[in-house]
Amino acid sequence: HRIAQKQMPDGYGAMLSVLVKGNAAQTIAVSNRLELFTTATSLGGVESLVEHRKSVEGEDSPTPDNLLRISVGLEDVRDLIADWEQALV
């Protein structure tokens, strides 16, 4: 798996969402395998965070079952990419 990287002009983190190939359980499993990303509902702070939005919003939410919201923090980008690569295996 390859993850594209684009740095913001000021060098700060970004927020994004990704769709994991799989169902809700498989998506949550990917999130749980991340080691540098903290699972959190609040996506503010300097550390990298991940959230399975559907779990927060509930079954009636229109959010896809396989969506993860990500807040990229100040950790080294190479470490973050490596973390995703090991989690997506």
Side-chain angles (χ1 to χ4, degrees):
H1 298 38
R2 294 190 60 78
I3 299 173
Q5 168 194 343
K6 181 169 182 169
Q7 186 171 358
M8 296 179 67
D10 294 329
Y12 297 99
M15 288 200 57
L16 62 140
S17 295
V18 296
L19 295 173
V20 175
K21 189 182 265 187
N23 60 27
Q26 292 165 315
T27 301
I28 292 168
V30 168
S31 175
N32 289 338
R33 285 192 297 268
L34 291 167
E35 298 173 0
L36 297 178
F37 287 77
T38 301
T39 301
T41 300
S42 172
L43 296 177
V46 297
E47 67 280 353
S48 292
L49 306 171
V50 64
E51 169 191 74
H52 182 250
R53 191 71 197 148
K54 183 84 171 218
S55 295
V56 175
E57 293 176 348
E59 285 302 312
D60 293 335
S61 170
T63 300
D65 288 341
N66 62 335
L67 184 135
L68 292 175
R69 276 180 43 176
I70 304 162
S71 176
V72 179
L74 300 177
E75 299 90 352
D76 187 289
V77 69
R78 293 168 293 200
D79 293 337
L80 297 176
I81 291 170
D83 195 21
W84 276 94
E85 289 175 338
Q86 67 81 26
L88 289 169
V89 173

